[in-house]
Amino acid sequence: MTALLETRDVRYRYPHGPEALRGASIRIVQGSKTALVGPNGAGKSTLLLMLNGMIRPDSGEVLFEGRSLSYDARSLRELRRRVGFVFQNPDVQIIAPTVEQDVAFGPANLGLPPDGVKRAVQDALASVGLSGCEKRPPHHLSGGEKKRVAIAGILAMNPDLLVFDEPTSSLDPASSEEIMELLDELVDAGRTIVISTHDVELAYRWADTVVLMEQGMVLASGSPGDAFSDHALLRAARLKPPWVLDLYNELILRNVIERGIPPKSVLEFTDLIERNTRGHLPQDEPGRVYVCDADATGGDEIRALIGAGIVDHVGAMGSRAKEFANREVILLDFTYGVIDKCILKALIGESSLIITTGGMIDHVHRRIREYSLESGRMLAAIPLGGRREAQMSGEPIVW
Amino acid sequence: MHETLEDFALNNGLRDVSPALKLALGLCCMLLSVSSPAPVAPLLIACSLTLVVLFSAGIPAGFYLKLLTIPASFAAMSILVILFLTGGGEVLVSVSLPGLPLTVTTGGANLAVLLLARISGGMCALFFISLTTPATEIFSLMRRCGLPAAFIDLSMLIYRYIFVFISEAEMIYRSQVMRLGYGSLREAIRSFGMLAGALFLRTWESGERLMVAMDARCYDGRFGALDETPPVSAPALVAVALYLAALLGIACLTMQTTIF
């Protein structure tokens, strides 16, 4: 595959500082999820700043779509439109006094007409789940919300590649998961993403390519399973292996499981262990996974389902769905990693309901279909309909 | 976090009234207050706008009073001086300190009352604007009035960074207090100096980071101008016009009124 963005043996020394990059080469493939992993001071941020021309390497070159970057104002502008950069601290990036004006900053500077700017702002805010916050001032937002505004500000310029410097730093676990789910949605929509992090668990779970860095050099790059399995390499990079992978490798050494594709989630791991110990997945009648659209369903309907014991667990995906659940006083069991959790519950015969909105409904159906194909256990996501059908059939609202 | 004027401006009973109308009302009241030769109209403005702020906008009385004490403290000092130093008319009160005879005359008293009335009228009008109209809406008004874009963009940036500045200052102050800064007067002076120094450096850094952030987002001299402010409603317009006309009438009729 051709690389969308590539650095070749780049070196850089900060004025009056040590050499931050000592010959780093990375390749970023179109549509990939790349994580630069390394300890503090490994040169991750410096390398990221080169990707959109904020720093010019002392030697070596950076190539975008196979062409070496030129550093005149015009080329840089075009590059920065196509390679968006989300800073670690959103307060640095948010510059306008309202959310709307800040998100409009990029598109306005690209010379879009007022209508185009408005549409870009609305689309960007909708895709980060902040519709309705247009007029709020940034200093009234929480850390997670500020991060979303910063992302929306970049998305509004419609870049092909997004660079995130430490996307989850100083966010609480739930906000971190939500931001990473948002990043997954962006990749689903055809964008390429590069992040830097020192969180090996996060990189292992999320990335499809991991670049290990230490002291301004690339130690290794490859699939997360390979990159994180070499303990000597990890020690050199002052990192520890992700515990899921560690456990997997130890279980192989004890002959409990066979070597295959290293699992990345609780769902994959439990399936793996079950196949290896029992020879198959649970064969009982699986539970059901209901999916409902928060914009088209009433709270009474969902409460009735829970009350009747048809649904054992409720999860919500996306901020609009969570707001809906909050408003309707529906207790949520799962707020992140929702699909995996519901599949896990379905496999032990318990039914669950996923409340979500918009394009994520299709995503749920697709994910469950994929899982059914891979695992051979037939699970189906059942859409939940409106009130009228339910009354006419006299049945729980299922078809 | 401190409760700021901005918090109320964003969330008050008059939030959906056209900012142009609110600004016009406030500015006219200010002009009337400072140009009225008699204290009646300015006092009337102060009272009526206070009622509007407290009841229509729903600003808590405690907060509003606290806000008024800021200009009141300045006013009190200058009025005291004027009261004793301005001559003319009959003597009302006379205090004789050794070597410093102090007298209050009717001329001085009248001028002091007029000044107090003008200050309260003007300040109430100013607070009316700042408590009911968010700064961002004022920026869009300025843009519509044709002020230079560079001026407005700069004001928007400054405005945004005021809040970053406040939170930075708060953070530094807290970390000083946690390590026992501001213990004695000497220590307080030293700590405050450090606070100012640290803030200066951080401001400098922020400025540089801002340049980078704007470059990264293709800055080309343009800020997004999404100006959508609530429209002027006819009843509100009529009410404001009537109110201002009545004030003007009262101001003309009471031009010669003095208290002493």
Side-chain angles (χ1 to χ4, degrees):
Chain A
M1 268 192 280
T2 56
L4 179 64
L5 194 57
E6 196 178 344
T7 69
R8 285 191 191 151
D9 199 28
V10 288
R11 287 172 172 271
Y12 184 74
R13 181 189 293 277
Y14 281 101
H16 318 296
E19 199 162 26
L21 285 178
R22 303 190 298 167
S25 306
I26 58 168
R27 279 166 57 85
I28 295 153
V29 177
Q30 171 86 46
S32 64
K33 303 195 273 188
T34 306
L36 303 188
V37 188
N40 295 329
K44 304 185 296 280
S45 301
T46 311
L47 188 56
L48 288 186
L49 283 169
M50 277 181 185
L51 300 184
N52 75 340
M54 304 302 297
I55 290 182
R56 185 175 186 164
D58 294 338
S59 70
E61 56 177 352
V62 183
L63 295 99
F64 184 64
E65 289 182 329
R67 274 194 301 277
S68 185
L69 295 192
S70 36
Y71 289 84
D72 59 291
R74 216 187 141 126
S75 319
L76 280 180
R77 242 172 82 80
E78 178 57 17
L79 175 72
R80 286 169 189 163
R81 190 192 73 69
R82 302 194 55 194
V83 180
F85 196 105
V86 179
F87 287 83
Q88 178 175 1
N89 177 2
D91 264 327
V92 172
Q93 194 177 333
I94 301 175
I95 46 189
T98 66
V99 168
E100 184 179 49
Q101 281 167 329
D102 187 73
V103 178
F105 183 86
N109 278 301
L110 291 176
L112 262 61
D115 278 356
V117 172
K118 211 174 144 91
R119 208 167 324 118
V121 171
Q122 280 169 351
D123 290 349
L125 283 177
S127 57
V128 299
L130 279 182
S131 302
C133 294
E134 285 86 353
K135 302 283 177 202
R136 288 174 64 188
H139 52 275
H140 282 189
L141 301 175
S142 71
E145 286 169 327
K146 274 188 199 168
K147 196 88 196 181
R148 283 159 188 269
V149 172
I151 297 174
I154 298 302
L155 274 184
M157 302 201 296
N158 194 21
D160 302 316
L161 189 148
L162 283 101
V163 180
F164 291 84
D165 193 4
E166 301 276 356
T168 60
S169 73
S170 73
L171 294 183
D172 59 54
S175 304
S176 305
E177 288 293 335
E178 283 167 8
I179 293 292
M180 295 320 285
E181 279 182 3
L182 175 63
L183 262 52
D184 278 338
E185 282 172 43
L186 295 178
V187 173
D188 271 350
R191 297 179 209 270
T192 310
I193 292 188
V194 183
I195 68 168
S196 74
T197 182
H198 47 239
D199 183 345
V200 288
E201 311 286 345
L202 176 104
Y204 175 67
R205 207 155 32 89
W206 177 82
D208 51 28
T209 311
V210 167
V211 178
L212 283 184
M213 288 186 73
E214 165 64 354
Q215 295 189 343
M217 287 182 292
V218 173
L219 294 184
S221 69
S223 77
D226 294 342
F228 288 133
S229 289
D230 189 337
H231 286 217
L233 214 59
L234 287 175
R235 239 190 337 274
R238 293 158 45 80
L239 297 169
K240 56 177 193 183
W243 74 263
V244 183
L245 187 64
D246 214 15
L247 184 60
Y248 166 79
N249 285 326
E250 293 300 331
L251 287 176
I252 289 174
L253 292 178
R254 292 196 186 185
N255 292 320
V256 178
I257 54 176
E258 286 164 27
R259 190 171 288 281
I261 303 163
K264 289 190 175 178
S265 63
V266 175
L267 175 61
E268 287 175 16
F269 214 132
T270 40
D271 279 5
L272 182 72
I273 292 176
E274 199 150 35
R275 271 211 199 84
N276 278 280
T277 50
R278 283 205 200 133
H280 57 75
L281 293 180
Q283 295 298 310
D284 317 328
E285 176 70 14
R288 292 174 162 183
V289 181
Y290 299 98
V291 186
C292 84
D293 185 348
D295 294 335
T297 322
D300 293 336
E301 218 170 310
I302 293 171
R303 276 192 294 271
L305 269 184
I306 302 166
I310 297 171
V311 171
D312 305 302
H313 308 278
V314 185
M317 283 171 67
S319 20
R320 219 156 70 235
K322 279 169 202 164
E323 260 166 46
F324 166 82
N326 205 11
R327 200 168 57 237
E328 296 288 344
V329 205
I330 295 166
L331 217 60
L332 295 176
D333 302 298
F334 315 128
T335 50
Y336 47 83
V338 174
I339 305 178
D340 272 19
K341 270 284 179 224
C342 291
I343 293 177
L344 276 166
K345 293 297 171 194
L347 288 175
I348 56 167
E350 291 174 10
S351 295
S352 41
L353 167 70
I354 301 177
I355 307 173
T356 184
T357 49
M360 278 184 283
I361 299 174
D362 292 334
H363 177 70
V364 173
H365 287 283
R366 200 167 54 241
R367 176 80 184 87
I368 292 180
R369 206 165 41 240
E370 278 168 13
Y371 178 79
S372 300
L373 284 176
E374 278 166 24
S375 67
R377 289 290 289 145
M378 287 321 286
L379 298 177
I382 306 160
L384 208 62
R387 185 187 310 266
R388 190 139 29 94
E389 288 87 340
Q391 279 173 351
M392 276 163 64
S393 65
E395 274 279 310
I397 19 266
V398 178
W399 72 89
Chain B
M1 213 175 103
H2 294 302
E3 250 183 347
T4 53
L5 292 176
E6 179 73 7
D7 297 331
F8 288 108
L10 282 168
N11 193 8
N12 67 76
L14 298 175
R15 176 76 169 82
D16 294 328
V17 177
S18 153
L21 196 63
K22 285 185 283 196
L23 205 60
L25 173 64
L27 287 178
C28 289
C29 285
M30 253 183 253
L31 276 179
L32 260 171
S33 288
V34 294
S35 56
S36 166
V40 182
L43 283 177
L44 209 61
I45 288 173
C47 294
S48 52
L49 286 185
T50 298
L51 289 179
V52 170
V53 164
L54 293 185
F55 296 104
S56 303
I59 307 297
F63 179 79
Y64 186 67
L65 280 179
K66 224 163 72 190
L67 209 55
L68 279 178
T69 53
I70 303 169
S73 56
F74 285 104
M77 281 187 278
S78 40
I79 282 169
L80 261 183
V81 174
I82 283 166
L83 194 60
F84 286 110
L85 290 191
T86 315
E90 295 159 34
V91 175
L92 286 173
V93 186
S94 150
V95 188
S96 59
L97 295 173
L100 183 70
L102 288 174
T103 52
V104 177
T105 61
T106 48
N110 279 326
L111 190 61
V113 170
L114 177 63
L115 210 63
L116 183 68
R118 280 179 173 177
I119 291 172
S120 12
M123 286 318 294
C124 285
L126 185 65
F127 285 142
F128 167 77
I129 296 176
S130 52
L131 283 168
T132 60
T133 318
T136 50
E137 291 188 352
I138 295 178
F139 294 142
S140 20
L141 274 180
M142 297 198 311
R143 202 185 296 272
R144 233 180 291 165
C145 293
L147 277 136
F151 173 74
I152 297 166
D153 291 353
L154 210 53
S155 332
M156 281 170 68
L157 278 177
I158 292 170
Y159 181 71
R160 157 82 184 119
Y161 275 86
I162 287 173
F163 297 97
V164 178
F165 185 82
I166 291 176
S167 65
E168 288 275 321
E170 231 170 55
M171 241 158 22
I172 299 173
Y173 177 75
R174 278 205 205 112
S175 69
Q176 287 180 319
V177 170
M178 270 187 286
R179 284 177 287 165
L180 312 179
Y182 302 97
S184 61
L185 180 67
R186 250 180 89 87
E187 189 52 43
I189 293 171
R190 216 175 71 87
S191 301
F192 188 75
M194 280 172 69
L195 174 79
L199 266 179
F200 177 76
L201 286 178
R202 290 204 191 182
T203 314
W204 197 270
E205 279 171 8
S206 292
E208 275 177 3
R209 280 199 304 251
L210 172 67
M211 287 294 294
V212 173
M214 287 171 72
D215 266 349
R217 294 172 71 184
C218 298
Y219 182 59
D220 191 28
R222 257 173 299 200
F223 248 87
L226 292 163
D227 297 341
E228 264 181 24
T229 50
V232 180
S233 76
L237 183 64
V238 172
V240 167
L242 282 178
Y243 173 74
L244 287 175
L247 277 180
L248 193 64
I250 291 168
C252 290
L253 287 177
T254 57
M255 217 176 277
Q256 304 301 324
T257 314
T258 51
I259 295 189
F260 299 101

